[in-house]
Amino acid sequence: MKSNDYLEEKPADIDELDEKILKLITKNARIPFLEVARECGVSGAAIHQRVQRLLNIGVVYGSEFIVSPQKLGYNTCAYMGIYLEKAKYHTQVVHALREIPEVVECHYTTGAYAIFIKIQTKTNKHLKRMIDNDLQNIEGIARTETFISLEMDFKRQVPIK
Protein backbone atom coordinates (compact mmCIF):
# COMPACT_ATOMS: atom_id res chain seq x y z
CA MET A 1 0.00 0.00 0.00
CA LYS A 2 1.36 3.44 -0.92
CA SER A 3 1.66 6.12 1.75
CA ASN A 4 -0.88 8.35 -0.04
CA ASP A 5 -3.58 5.65 -0.36
CA TYR A 6 -5.44 7.17 2.58
CA LEU A 7 -5.33 10.75 1.31
CA GLU A 8 -8.33 12.27 -0.38
CA GLU A 9 -7.93 13.22 -4.00
CA LYS A 10 -7.68 16.97 -4.55
CA PRO A 11 -10.32 18.46 -6.84
CA ALA A 12 -9.10 19.35 -10.32
CA ASP A 13 -8.37 22.97 -11.12
CA ILE A 14 -11.12 23.97 -13.55
CA ASP A 15 -12.33 27.41 -14.57
CA GLU A 16 -15.69 28.86 -15.69
CA LEU A 17 -15.18 27.80 -19.33
CA ASP A 18 -14.42 24.24 -18.22
CA GLU A 19 -17.61 24.28 -16.11
CA LYS A 20 -19.69 25.51 -19.06
CA ILE A 21 -18.22 22.82 -21.30
CA LEU A 22 -18.91 20.15 -18.66
CA LYS A 23 -22.53 21.26 -18.28
CA LEU A 24 -23.05 20.98 -22.05
CA ILE A 25 -21.28 17.67 -22.65
CA THR A 26 -22.79 15.93 -19.61
CA LYS A 27 -26.29 16.84 -20.81
CA ASN A 28 -25.51 15.46 -24.28
CA ALA A 29 -22.31 13.46 -24.78
CA ARG A 30 -22.88 13.49 -28.54
CA ILE A 31 -23.05 17.28 -28.88
CA PRO A 32 -20.67 18.42 -31.64
CA PHE A 33 -17.66 20.41 -30.42
CA LEU A 34 -18.60 23.21 -32.83
CA GLU A 35 -21.96 23.57 -31.09
CA VAL A 36 -20.20 23.64 -27.70
CA ALA A 37 -17.84 26.28 -29.13
CA ARG A 38 -20.77 28.45 -30.28
CA GLU A 39 -22.44 28.17 -26.85
CA CYS A 40 -19.18 29.09 -25.12
CA GLY A 41 -18.08 31.80 -27.54
CA VAL A 42 -14.71 30.21 -28.36
CA SER A 43 -13.22 28.26 -31.26
CA GLY A 44 -13.80 24.59 -31.94
CA ALA A 45 -10.07 23.99 -31.49
CA ALA A 46 -10.23 25.57 -28.02
CA ILE A 47 -13.09 23.24 -27.06
CA HIS A 48 -11.20 20.23 -28.39
CA GLN A 49 -8.13 21.20 -26.34
CA ARG A 50 -10.20 21.83 -23.21
CA VAL A 51 -12.07 18.52 -23.48
CA GLN A 52 -8.78 16.69 -24.09
CA ARG A 53 -7.32 18.36 -20.98
CA LEU A 54 -10.41 17.38 -18.92
CA LEU A 55 -9.94 13.80 -20.13
CA ASN A 56 -6.20 13.83 -19.38
CA ILE A 57 -6.65 15.07 -15.80
CA GLY A 58 -9.50 12.61 -15.17
CA VAL A 59 -12.37 15.08 -14.71
CA VAL A 60 -14.28 13.20 -17.40
CA TYR A 61 -13.66 9.66 -18.53
CA GLY A 62 -15.11 7.10 -20.85
CA SER A 63 -17.53 7.37 -23.68
CA GLU A 64 -20.38 4.95 -23.68
CA PHE A 65 -23.86 4.24 -24.85
CA ILE A 66 -26.20 3.38 -21.99
CA VAL A 67 -28.31 0.29 -22.62
CA SER A 68 -31.86 0.29 -21.27
CA PRO A 69 -32.12 -2.87 -19.14
CA GLN A 70 -35.92 -2.93 -19.59
CA LYS A 71 -35.64 -2.85 -23.40
CA LEU A 72 -33.54 -6.03 -23.14
CA GLY A 73 -36.01 -7.68 -20.78
CA TYR A 74 -34.19 -6.98 -17.49
CA ASN A 75 -37.21 -5.80 -15.53
CA THR A 76 -36.04 -6.45 -11.95
CA CYS A 77 -33.52 -4.10 -10.37
CA ALA A 78 -32.34 -5.06 -6.90
CA TYR A 79 -29.76 -3.89 -4.42
CA MET A 80 -28.05 -6.26 -2.04
CA GLY A 81 -26.09 -5.69 1.12
CA ILE A 82 -23.50 -8.40 1.68
CA TYR A 83 -22.14 -9.41 5.08
CA LEU A 84 -18.76 -11.15 4.96
CA GLU A 85 -17.68 -13.97 7.27
CA LYS A 86 -14.39 -12.08 7.73
CA ALA A 87 -13.00 -8.87 6.20
CA LYS A 88 -10.18 -10.87 4.61
CA TYR A 89 -12.71 -12.37 2.15
CA HIS A 90 -13.38 -9.01 0.49
CA THR A 91 -11.05 -9.43 -2.49
CA GLN A 92 -12.09 -12.99 -3.35
CA VAL A 93 -15.81 -12.16 -2.96
CA VAL A 94 -15.47 -9.14 -5.27
CA HIS A 95 -13.61 -11.32 -7.77
CA ALA A 96 -16.47 -13.87 -7.69
CA LEU A 97 -19.12 -11.12 -8.00
CA ARG A 98 -17.32 -9.75 -11.07
CA GLU A 99 -17.98 -13.12 -12.77
CA ILE A 100 -21.78 -12.75 -12.42
CA PRO A 101 -23.02 -10.65 -15.38
CA GLU A 102 -26.22 -9.56 -13.61
CA VAL A 103 -24.16 -7.77 -10.94
CA VAL A 104 -23.77 -4.35 -12.56
CA GLU A 105 -22.30 -2.35 -9.66
CA CYS A 106 -20.23 -3.28 -6.63
CA HIS A 107 -19.24 -0.97 -3.76
CA TYR A 108 -17.02 -1.55 -0.72
CA THR A 109 -18.91 0.21 2.07
CA THR A 110 -18.91 1.25 5.68
CA GLY A 111 -21.80 0.47 7.97
CA ALA A 112 -23.76 -2.74 8.26
CA TYR A 113 -22.63 -4.25 4.95
CA ALA A 114 -19.11 -4.86 3.76
CA ILE A 115 -20.22 -4.84 0.11
CA PHE A 116 -23.27 -3.31 -1.58
CA ILE A 117 -24.20 -4.40 -5.11
CA LYS A 118 -26.74 -3.53 -7.79
CA ILE A 119 -28.29 -6.42 -9.71
CA GLN A 120 -30.35 -6.43 -12.94
CA THR A 121 -32.36 -9.57 -13.69
CA LYS A 122 -35.16 -10.41 -16.09
CA THR A 123 -37.68 -11.41 -13.41
CA ASN A 124 -38.00 -11.87 -9.66
CA LYS A 125 -37.63 -15.65 -10.23
CA HIS A 126 -34.40 -14.98 -12.14
CA LEU A 127 -33.20 -12.91 -9.15
CA LYS A 128 -34.10 -15.70 -6.69
CA ARG A 129 -32.29 -18.29 -8.84
CA MET A 130 -29.23 -16.07 -9.03
CA ILE A 131 -29.21 -15.54 -5.26
CA ASP A 132 -29.67 -19.26 -4.54
CA ASN A 133 -27.31 -20.65 -7.18
CA ASP A 134 -24.65 -17.97 -7.57
CA LEU A 135 -24.43 -15.47 -4.72
CA GLN A 136 -25.09 -17.76 -1.75
CA ASN A 137 -22.42 -20.17 -3.00
CA ILE A 138 -19.61 -17.61 -2.90
CA GLU A 139 -17.12 -18.51 -0.18
CA GLY A 140 -16.78 -15.72 2.36
CA ILE A 141 -20.35 -14.43 2.18
CA ALA A 142 -22.02 -14.88 5.57
CA ARG A 143 -25.44 -13.56 4.57
CA THR A 144 -27.18 -11.07 2.34
CA GLU A 145 -30.05 -8.61 2.46
CA THR A 146 -31.89 -7.82 -0.78
CA PHE A 147 -33.98 -4.79 -1.70
CA ILE A 148 -36.02 -4.72 -4.92
CA SER A 149 -36.30 -1.32 -6.57
CA LEU A 150 -39.87 -0.60 -7.60
CA GLU A 151 -38.94 2.38 -9.77
CA MET A 152 -36.00 4.71 -10.36
CA ASP A 153 -37.24 8.25 -9.88
CA PHE A 154 -34.07 9.92 -11.13
CA LYS A 155 -30.37 9.48 -11.77
CA ARG A 156 -27.98 12.31 -12.37
CA GLN A 157 -24.38 13.46 -12.51
CA VAL A 158 -22.80 15.36 -9.64
CA PRO A 159 -23.47 19.12 -9.85
CA ILE A 160 -20.98 21.22 -11.78
CA LYS A 161 -20.53 24.23 -9.51
Side-chain angles (χ1 to χ4, degrees):
M1 193 171 284
K2 295 181 229 152
S3 62
N4 65 352
D5 281 352
Y6 296 105
L7 300 177
E8 288 188 31
E9 191 170 322
K10 289 174 53 177
D13 185 26
I14 61 173
D15 61 19
E16 285 184 33
L17 178 57
D18 291 329
E19 288 176 14
K20 194 166 187 180
I21 293 167
L22 286 169
K23 286 178 184 175
L24 291 165
I25 66 175
T26 56
K27 282 183 190 165
N28 176 6
R30 297 176 71 180
I31 188 172
F33 282 176
L34 287 177
E35 191 173 327
V36 175
R38 271 193 301 278
E39 292 279 330
C40 294
V42 297
S43 72
I47 297 300
H48 186 271
Q49 289 172 344
R50 289 292 187 117
V51 170
Q52 192 59 53
R53 180 180 155 275
L54 292 169
L55 283 163
N56 290 342
I57 63 174
V59 172
V60 293
Y61 57 90
S63 175
E64 62 186 349
F65 288 100
I66 309 298
V67 174
S68 167
Q70 294 79 15
K71 296 287 184 184
L72 295 179
Y74 288 85
N75 294 305
T76 297
C77 173
Y79 295 88
M80 178 182 285
I82 298 174
Y83 297 88
L84 298 178
E85 290 173 12
K86 292 182 181 176
K88 72 177 187 176
Y89 288 115
H90 174 262
T91 303
Q92 80 182 48
V93 168
V94 169
H95 179 74
L97 291 169
R98 193 180 301 272
E99 299 301 312
I100 303 170
E102 293 89 349
V103 176
V104 296
E105 285 184 28
C106 179
H107 301 267
Y108 189 30
T109 60
T110 62
Y113 314 113
I115 299 171
F116 200 74
I117 61 175
K118 180 178 179 183
I119 305 164
Q120 291 282 171
T121 58
K122 295 194 178 231
T123 62
N124 289 354
K125 283 186 178 185
H126 179 189
L127 175 63
K128 182 182 179 316
R129 239 184 355 265
M130 199 193 84
I131 291 169
D132 291 346
N133 299 334
D134 299 325
L135 292 163
Q136 295 295 344
N137 290 324
I138 296 173
E139 184 182 353
I141 293 181
R143 64 186 176 101
T144 62
E145 194 170 343
T146 305
F147 310 88
I148 293 179
S149 172
L150 300 176
E151 179 177 61
M152 179 174 57
D153 289 318
F154 67 89
K155 179 179 179 178
R156 60 179 164 211
Q157 300 273 356
V158 296
I160 300 164
K161 293 185 187 180

